[in-house]
Amino acid sequence: MVQRKLMTAAVQTSPSFATRLVNGILAIKPLANLAKHQARQMMIKRAEKIGVPWTKEVQKLQSLDWESDFAQVQNSQLSYPDYYLTSFHAYETGNLSWQAAFEVEPAAYAVHAKIWQGAKAQGDAKLRQSYHDILKPSLAHEPQDILDLGCSVGLSSFALQEVYPHAKITGLDLSPYFLAVARYRAQQRQAKIDWVHAAAESTGLPNASFDLVSIFLVCHELPQLATQQIFAEARRVLRPGGYLAIMDMNPKSEAFEKMPPYILTLLKSTEPYLDEYFALDIEQTLVEAGFQTPTIASNSPRHRTVIAQVSG
Ligand SMILES: C[S@@+](CC[C@H](N)C(=O)[O-])C[C@H]1O[C@@H](n2cnc3c(N)ncnc32)[C@H](O)[C@@H]1O
């Protein structure tokens, strides 16, 4: 009986042929590069098909002179955490390149087009809306000062500004390339946002200076230790009664629980810390960082919104 149980466990946990095949392919660099190239081409095709002019938009951004925007946002003294200096999303130099910065917006539209059936290019806006639909009624007061950690090219900061037009918004990111694009987009929209080039775990921002810290689609890109440090830093910069809100993949959603393991393996090949994120006890981590037990609600078939108020 014991032996049967063990055998069953062994059968359940050993990777399937498809998973082993995918792992085998990804272990061979030229094949992995080919797989990443194919995945990227598919994403570009998907974007163009739903009316997102990927190629045209990227060419337009490539034709601009970025020297001044880059110089304005870059903190040349900053040293990057090791975990950040790795390949992400099939870009060899991760988030530290112009190519990644120019493609991040159309890529978000392409990836989020599939969350809701028929949403197409509106999927991204719908995802952001679904977060704010949960967050806004949960806050006791309208926030005056908001910090968007991991703001990338600014999509999450602009969404915050639309929901809280009177608030002062700060967008912070580790990639000066992304921040340069964010700055350019803000000028186009005549949006007044402060862009900060820093690590979310040591922002350099004053104690108790924000009412809301928002972290949108960042934690799945972090090792657990970085997430713990970022939550502690969020606690430090929040005022008494302030809130930390986190929107990210929901490991407990059916979409991930029922995902074929080899697809998950492919996903992990572009998201190096996904395993650590899926294994993180987010409630416990928040409580240890000085927050009350959070509320967790699903805001899409595969995303969740976690809201935690400063304790005490
Ligand atoms: C998937 S993007 C999220 C983008 C954005 N919040 C949005 O909604 O479109 C993750 C971002 O987090 C940033 N990031 C990752 N680790 C970070 C860290 N430790 N400190 C600051 N930014 C970080 C990356 O540079 C990237 O721009």
Side-chain angles (χ1 to χ4, degrees):
M1 183 64 192
V2 173
Q3 201 181 5
R4 249 193 83 197
K5 256 193 184 160
L6 282 176
M7 276 180 64
T8 318
V11 169
Q12 279 170 349
T13 53
S14 67
S16 69
F17 174 70
T19 305
R20 277 184 283 133
L21 183 68
V22 168
N23 271 329
I25 290 172
L26 293 175
I28 304 167
K29 201 144 195 223
L31 288 183
N33 287 343
L34 185 68
K36 285 176 185 175
H37 175 77
Q38 286 300 106
R40 193 164 161 274
Q41 291 309 316
M42 262 173 58
M43 190 136 80
I44 296 175
K45 231 168 122 185
R46 191 201 286 179
E48 302 277 358
K49 207 170 142 198
I50 58 169
V52 175
W54 178 306
T55 313
K56 204 169 136 235
E57 267 306 307
V58 171
Q59 278 171 355
K60 191 177 156 215
L61 292 176
Q62 276 167 343
S63 72
L64 301 173
D65 179 358
W66 289 95
E67 207 180 322
S68 153
D69 282 298
F70 192 79
Q72 289 292 328
V73 294
Q74 192 199 24
N75 168 8
S76 52
Q77 307 302 313
L78 186 69
S79 59
Y80 296 94
D82 282 346
Y83 69 82
Y84 191 74
L85 300 172
T86 182
S87 158
F88 273 101
H89 308 146
Y91 296 106
E92 210 45 52
T93 46
N95 294 321
L96 294 172
S97 75
W98 285 119
Q99 194 194 7
F102 296 159
E103 295 189 341
V104 74
E105 190 172 337
Y109 297 147
V111 170
H112 299 149
K114 291 251 169 150
I115 301 173
W116 286 278
Q117 226 186 354
K120 299 193 177 154
Q122 289 311 307
D124 183 78
K126 201 169 164 183
L127 179 63
R128 295 176 197 281
Q129 189 61 48
S130 68
Y131 166 64
H132 289 293
D133 285 349
I134 293 176
L135 177 58
K136 197 171 184 192
S138 308
L139 306 177
H141 305 284
E142 180 103 0
Q144 299 299 305
D145 294 281
I146 304 177
L147 175 60
D148 183 20
L149 290 178
C151 65
S152 178
V153 294
L155 296 179
S156 44
S157 319
F158 301 136
L160 281 161
Q161 194 171 53
E162 270 174 34
V163 180
Y164 306 105
H166 304 297
K168 183 171 172 294
I169 302 194
T170 303
L172 179 146
D173 205 278
L174 262 176
S175 170
Y177 302 89
F178 289 7
L179 288 172
V181 175
R183 187 173 188 274
Y184 166 74
R185 290 280 184 231
Q187 278 164 352
Q188 279 185 318
R189 304 167 67 108
Q190 298 187 318
K192 214 187 146 302
I193 294 180
D194 285 340
W195 304 110
V196 177
H197 183 210
E201 42 275 75
S202 53
T203 62
L205 297 166
N207 287 348
S209 50
F210 292 92
D211 307 301
L212 171 65
V213 174
S214 177
I215 308 184
F216 196 97
L217 284 175
V218 180
C219 292
H220 72 275
E221 291 192 4
L222 301 171
Q224 291 190 354
L225 182 62
T227 305
Q228 287 160 10
Q229 292 171 343
I230 290 172
F231 289 176
E233 178 69 351
R235 171 71 187 80
R236 183 185 70 76
V237 299
L238 277 168
R239 298 190 173 115
Y243 294 86
L244 170 58
I246 304 145
M247 198 313 286
D248 217 309
M249 296 180 197
N250 183 359
K252 296 201 174 112
S253 65
E254 243 182 47
F256 287 113
E257 284 188 344
K258 292 200 172 154
M259 187 174 271
Y262 69 96
I263 301 271
L264 203 54
T265 303
L266 267 178
L267 185 61
K268 284 175 190 168
S269 74
T270 66
E271 298 284 4
Y273 305 109
L274 204 58
D275 272 334
E276 289 203 41
Y277 170 70
F278 274 27
L280 179 78
D281 183 339
I282 201 157
E283 283 165 289
Q284 180 68 19
T285 310
L286 283 164
V287 170
E288 282 169 9
F291 291 92
Q292 292 175 14
T293 303
T295 60
I296 304 184
S298 72
N299 60 293
S300 99
R302 54 178 202 245
H303 295 91
R304 68 182 177 191
T305 294
V306 180
I307 304 171
Q309 194 171 17
V310 166
S311 66

